[in-house]
Amino acid sequence: MRSWRSKLALVVVTAAAVLGTAAGQAVAAPPQDDFQPNVVGGTRAAQGEFPWMVRLSMGCGGAMYTQQLVLTAAHCVSGTGPNTSITATLGVVDLQDPARLTLRSDYVYQSPGYENPSGDDWALIRLERAVDVPTLAVATNGDFDSGTFTVAGWGAATEGGAQQRYLLKADVPFIDDTRCGSAYSELVPAEEICSGDWDNGGIDTCQGDSGGPMFRRDDAGEWVQVGITSWGYGCARPENPGVYTQASHFASAIAAAAAELGEGTTPACAAQANTTRVSIPDAGAAVTSPVTIADCAGNASNATRVEVHITHPYRGDVVIDLVAPDGTSYRLKGSSGGDSADNVDTTYTVNASSEAANGTWQLRVQDKFRSDTGTLDSWKLSV
């Protein structure tokens, strides 16, 4: 049975499990917290290893094509038009990491040639605003459509299993069209590319990985996307490889659609800093320092970052708040009589997603106890 890999993830099983299980039989993967390095071809990705990876709320993956557009699979979305129902999570390996960045979609472009199940399985999701994150280039010709590829995703770790909290990665070998077509009569060779361990299975993308990238290094050693996770029979079965949209075949169409969406590569919400030094009086009134955010669509993120640099001989005296344009206050640091270290050089993360990004934000600092004074040297806000 053909199955979309929307809701599709890396299947990684031990060698013993592969050898001791009949073809097509689901194999339980080890619990994520007990993930071992000796699983066949699969490991947990390191933080920052694939910074363009995106998790989508409908249960798919994707990759940052530009700093506002996510490239994913057409079967993950319902059509073309305004759409604010999708949440994209990016910037982390652990989906529960407090530093994760989440953004809403504002528009979806589904390939006009897509008609389940005839190929053309690609789509672009425009986010509510641009973000300063790395992007993944798409191959523009077939030079890199062979060899060994890397796949990654948060999908199921076993056929029919649950989605994963942590990003998994694996290397998968190319399978030529003739062999892949012998398994799948519905394969569209001009538009699709296959990969996996043909003889043994045991490593694959699976439910929850749909839309995520398949990629490899180019001649300059840079990552380039060669495929978009699309479909297959089950997960990690011998002689049933994963099928991916061939990115190079659609590179021109994807680029044209991106241009049509009017997306630029410069983040609209660039970080703003205030480097004017402000004296902090001893046990006195709070002092403030402003920064103004402009031309930034939508709300601030749930991982708004506040970088603070304060010179003070006893930082436990210091209380720090971020004040939003509407006056809402977010406590970044409280006072602590037991914290006798000097200075504050810290980046705080705060959920400010209920606040409009544009406007004047204030950093408010107060020394709560007598005997010491200090200076707010600088601070920077990334909404």
Side-chain angles (χ1 to χ4, degrees):
M1 175 181 177
R2 173 179 178 147
S3 62
W4 293 116
R5 299 199 163 176
S6 64
K7 306 177 182 154
L8 174 154
L10 294 179
V11 173
V12 284
V13 296
T14 64
V18 171
L19 294 174
T21 305
Q25 181 178 346
V27 178
Q32 189 61 51
D33 289 342
D34 296 328
F35 197 83
Q36 300 297 317
N38 60 347
V39 294
V40 177
T43 58
R44 186 183 295 181
Q47 177 61 36
E49 187 174 5
F50 308 123
W52 21 258
M53 285 295 300
V54 179
R55 180 64 172 169
L56 299 170
S57 56
M58 83 289 281
C60 284
M64 294 301 293
Y65 179 75
T66 69
Q67 291 179 314
Q68 196 172 354
L69 295 177
V70 179
L71 180 60
T72 188
H75 75 263
C76 289
V77 300
S78 57
T80 295
N83 186 326
T84 60
S85 68
I86 301 168
T87 299
T89 301
L90 56 152
V92 294
V93 165
D94 178 0
L95 294 177
Q96 297 181 24
D97 190 328
R100 66 189 183 276
L101 180 62
T102 59
L103 294 167
R104 284 286 192 179
S105 60
D106 75 1
Y107 196 91
V108 170
Y109 182 98
Q110 186 183 59
S111 169
Y114 173 71
E115 184 177 348
N116 181 6
S118 66
D120 282 74
D121 192 14
W122 64 270
L124 289 169
I125 297 173
R126 189 173 67 193
L127 303 179
E128 59 186 307
R129 60 180 174 86
V131 287
D132 188 8
V133 296
T135 58
L136 178 61
V138 168
T140 56
N141 57 54
D143 290 352
F144 306 108
D145 289 348
S146 61
T148 299
F149 310 120
T150 299
V151 289
W154 287 273
T158 185
E159 186 172 329
Q163 309 295 289
Q164 299 296 295
R165 170 177 170 177
Y166 298 96
L167 180 68
L168 300 183
K169 64 176 182 177
D171 291 335
V172 288
F174 168 72
I175 292 176
D176 64 63
D177 290 342
T178 300
R179 175 172 278 192
C180 193
S182 70
Y184 301 131
S185 60
E186 59 269 70
L187 183 74
V188 184
E191 300 181 4
E192 296 174 323
I193 183 171
C194 304
S195 67
D197 186 333
W198 178 265
D199 293 325
N200 301 307
I203 189 72
D204 196 4
T205 47
C206 193
Q207 290 79 28
D209 293 324
S210 271
M214 181 169 71
F215 45 97
R216 55 159 290 177
R217 300 284 188 179
D218 64 13
D219 292 337
E222 300 295 328
W223 290 116
V224 61
Q225 183 170 357
V226 298
I228 302 169
T229 305
S230 186
W231 62 279
Y233 290 173
C235 303
R237 300 178 183 181
E239 300 184 9
N240 287 141
V243 181
Y244 301 79
T245 301
Q246 192 164 1
S248 61
H249 181 83
F250 295 103
S252 295
I254 293 168
E260 183 178 325
L261 290 175
E263 204 287 312
T265 58
T266 301
C269 296
Q272 298 295 323
N274 189 328
T275 58
T276 300
R277 302 181 76 202
V278 180
S279 296
I280 305 169
D282 182 26
V287 298
T288 59
S289 174
V291 298
T292 299
I293 303 293
D295 301 321
C296 183
N299 285 5
S301 80
N302 68 342
T304 293
R305 296 183 299 279
V306 188
E307 181 181 335
V308 180
H309 299 283
I310 294 173
T311 300
H312 196 285
Y314 199 102
R315 68 185 182 195
D317 289 359
V318 177
V319 173
I320 307 172
D321 295 294
L322 176 68
V323 183
D326 68 355
T328 302
S329 177
Y330 296 87
R331 177 58 51 91
L332 303 180
K333 178 188 176 299
S335 60
S336 172
D339 186 0
S340 61
D342 59 3
N343 304 334
V344 176
D345 293 290
T346 303
T347 298
Y348 302 95
T349 300
V350 61
N351 182 356
S353 58
S354 63
E355 307 290 343
N358 286 338
T360 298
W361 297 71
Q362 303 272 352
L363 190 73
R364 185 171 63 205
V365 182
Q366 185 175 17
D367 183 307
K368 301 290 286 186
F369 302 100
R370 295 193 180 279
S371 298
D372 300 299
T373 62
T375 304
L376 170 58
D377 297 312
S378 66
W379 72 289
K380 182 168 68 174
L381 177 66
S382 303
V383 297

